Amino acid sequence: MIRITALKWVPPFAAGQVRDHRLRWVLREVGWPYEVRLLDAPTLKSPDYRHAQPFGQVPVLEEDGRPTLFESGAVVLDVAMRANRLLPEDPGQRSLAICWLVAALNSIEPALMNVAEVAYFTRDEAQQAARRPVVDAFARQRLDALQGALGDRTWMVGDDFSVADLMLSSVLKIADRLDLLEGFDALQRYAQRCWDRPAHREAIAEQCATIDAHAQVDMRYDALKTG
Ligand SMILES: N[C@@H](CCC(=O)N[C@@H](CS)C(=O)NCC(=O)O)C(=O)O
């Protein structure tokens, strides 16, 4: 049986966005059953867990007889390749789909995370006011380039939904929550098309239900500070 890891609880701004949703989503797309191992903060930072995820983060995918996999992009690609699903049949298009999966994580997500860092974690108001326009402008440049590359296609590569669309639309959730998709109408329609897929809706509902059923205290942050 496949097991993935997820956090017991996150603050409201992160619910529905925690990166284990990518694994839940791809596994549901290919129809592979899985269990979820819920972690608190001390477990996440424990030497045992870091053996599998060196950065002490979720998600990983555990499966008997296989090495534990980490990095959501790598896991999504691994599942798609093994299931032979969510990748175009044409070899050139298949390679392009992989390019877009990596572009989502390497060229778009960091620009959006800069904005997230300022919006959610920069406490100093003067610093926030100074940095926000700069990080916003860079993120919008990347979104503009992405919208240009998408053109009027339904899916980024080929005729069907692929891992490229899964990862791009997952990353666009960060932009959406930061109100960065305003004015990018084609990107909004594209992302919505992906988010409307039953596998995505179920993945998010499942993640949010877990988070709702827990509270901050369940993360045991205190044990992390003292231990
Ligand atoms: N590049 C990693 C990023 C994983 C990541 O940022 N995980 C966050 C949740 S979305 C996490 O575990 N945060 C808790 C922490 O860093 O302590 C991936 O895509 O798997």
Side-chain angles (χ1 to χ4, degrees), residues 77-154:
L77 188 55
D78 181 77
V79 169
M81 283 167 46
R82 285 198 285 150
N84 201 18
R85 294 273 312 278
L86 306 176
L87 284 162
E89 272 180 30
D90 173 79
Q93 300 256 296
R94 186 172 271 243
S95 299
L96 255 188
I98 296 171
C99 289
W100 276 110
L101 176 142
V102 174
L105 297 170
N106 217 21
S107 297
I108 299 165
E109 188 171 51
L112 301 174
M113 289 309 291
N114 284 342
V115 182
E117 195 268 326
V118 173
Y120 302 137
F121 303 117
T122 304
R123 295 274 165 263
D124 184 296
E125 283 185 15
Q127 236 183 47
Q128 199 180 76
R131 287 194 62 212
R132 185 70 197 249
V134 179
V135 291
D136 267 18
F138 184 59
R140 283 183 201 282
Q141 270 178 29
R142 287 290 153 106
L143 293 172
D144 193 48
L146 177 62
Q147 183 164 266
L150 177 66
D152 58 6
R153 288 200 304 283
T154 305

Side-chain angles (χ1 to χ4, degrees), residues 181-198:
L181 287 184
E182 274 166 32
F184 293 105
D185 296 353
L187 270 192
Q188 276 186 34
R189 287 194 298 274
Y190 165 70
Q192 194 62 54
R193 222 168 7 256
C194 301
W195 300 334
D196 282 344
R197 294 178 70 83

